[in-house]
């Protein structure tokens, strides 16, 4: 299953390892409880929380600064211990919440080394972030930005693509779009951008003439520090 950054999701089936779950509701009957991911209306961005139901260790993907009170409340209500706050790339449409979560909960921030950003963990292609018995594996997927990562659960049942690959689209390459959940095979067959020739794809992306992200001048400098306001301790 593919989970882009700008999308909504109710997966059609549970992950094969059902005790790892994208979580916004407590796990019930020892099975994964899956509900729509966490939404930030101001940037139309979605945040994901994955947790190992056995240990309670968790990872949050693409948190948003203004939504940190919601996210910390959710984690505490579910009794989860946040290990990492990871960004799929250096966002231009919102300020990441990873620095605030780091200060509030003691987790570690993470982002691609190729992003040029500062973080506790600078990920290379193939690196892993472990939470309990599970891990997210970083896969370099540059295009939307040079530092884009796709984060793949270690059993390959889920992939969090950020803005690199969207459902029936892809993130802007002059600098961002998307919807719901898909699979790699489905996008190979049906994505109108990915079925173009290389030359046609370049021409399409160069001709989009998309507006400059509204918060770019604020978001990019902050996100290059992973939202951390103070020097690392």
């Amino acid at each position: 299953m593919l989970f882009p950054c700008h999308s909504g999701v109710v997966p059609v089936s549970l992950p094969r390892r059902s005790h790892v779950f994208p979580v916004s509701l407590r796990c019930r009957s020892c099975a994964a409880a899956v509900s729509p991911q966490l939404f930030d209306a101001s940037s139309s961005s979605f945040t994901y929380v994955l947790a190992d139901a056995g240990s309670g260790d968790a990872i949050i993907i693409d948190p948003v600064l203004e939504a940190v009170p919601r996210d910390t409340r959710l984690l505490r209500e579910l009794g989860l211990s946040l290990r990492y706050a990871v960004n799929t790339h250096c966002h231009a449409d919102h300020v990441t919440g990873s620095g605030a979560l780091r200060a509030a909960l003691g987790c570690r921030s993470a982002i691609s080394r190729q992003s040029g950003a500062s973080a506790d963990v600078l990920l290379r292609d193939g690196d892993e972030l472990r939470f309990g018995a599970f891990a997210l594996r970083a896969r370099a997927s540059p295009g939307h930005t040079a530092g884009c990562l796709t984060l793949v659960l270690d059993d390959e049942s889920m992939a969090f693509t950020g803005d690199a690959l969207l459902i029936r689209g892809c993130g802007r390459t002059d600098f961002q779009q998307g919807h719901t959940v898909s699979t790699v095979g489905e996008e190979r067959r049906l994505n109108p951008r990915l079925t173009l020739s290389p030359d046609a794809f370049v021409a399409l992306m160069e001709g989009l003439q998309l507006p400059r992200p509204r918060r770019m001048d604020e978001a990019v400098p902050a996100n290059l520090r992973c939202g951390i306001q103070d020097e690392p301790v």
Side-chain angles (χ1 to χ4, degrees):
M1 290 185 290
L2 298 180
F3 297 83
C5 174
H6 288 79
S7 69
V9 54
V10 182
V12 294
S13 62
L14 295 177
R16 291 192 295 275
R17 297 164 79 181
S18 61
H19 50 306
V20 175
F21 54 101
V23 55
S24 56
L25 293 176
R26 183 177 292 278
C27 178
R28 297 173 182 170
S29 304
C30 298
V34 183
S35 70
Q37 73 275 52
L38 305 166
F39 180 61
D40 173 63
S42 65
S43 62
S44 297
S45 298
F46 285 85
T47 295
Y48 301 89
V49 176
L50 295 181
D52 175 0
S55 67
D57 286 351
I59 286 181
I60 192 166
I61 301 171
D62 288 335
V64 177
L65 179 61
E66 290 80 3
V68 164
R70 174 203 65 190
D71 299 343
T72 54
R73 181 171 62 252
L74 173 67
L75 291 161
R76 285 167 174 157
E77 286 174 352
L78 298 179
L80 300 176
S81 178
L82 188 63
R83 299 304 181 194
Y84 296 97
V86 57
N87 292 282
T88 55
H89 62 291
C90 184
H91 299 275
D93 55 2
H94 65 269
V95 177
T96 179
S98 55
L101 288 165
R102 178 179 181 267
L105 301 177
C107 65
R108 304 180 73 194
S109 59
I111 198 168
S112 167
R113 181 177 295 274
Q114 292 300 315
S115 69
S118 300
D120 298 309
V121 180
L122 296 175
L123 295 164
R124 300 179 187 272
D125 184 65
D127 286 349
E128 293 186 347
L129 297 175
R130 300 209 63 85
F131 59 108
F134 305 97
L136 281 179
R137 185 170 297 118
R139 293 186 178 173
S141 48
H144 174 59
T145 73
C148 281
L149 293 174
T150 292
L151 300 167
V152 183
L153 192 64
D154 54 359
D155 71 350
E156 300 190 345
S157 62
M158 290 184 279
F160 299 84
T161 60
D163 289 343
L165 174 62
L166 306 177
I167 309 307
R168 308 298 187 266
C170 64
R172 60 191 294 179
T173 54
D174 69 316
F175 191 161
Q176 266 138 55
Q177 315 154 24
H179 267 44
T180 65
V181 172
S182 183
T183 66
V184 171
E186 194 172 316
E187 291 308 304
R188 283 176 172 168
R189 294 193 308 273
L190 301 176
N191 192 312
R193 296 184 180 180
L194 301 189
T195 53
L196 295 172
S197 69
D199 288 343
F201 176 81
V202 170
L204 172 69
M205 299 306 292
E206 289 181 345
L208 289 177
Q209 298 182 341
L210 297 172
R212 180 181 176 87
R214 180 174 57 86
R215 298 185 64 189
M216 179 177 171
D217 292 339
E218 171 193 7
V220 172
N223 292 335
L224 286 171
R225 304 189 304 273
C226 276
I228 297 170
Q229 303 302 316
D230 300 317
E231 291 297 318
V233 294

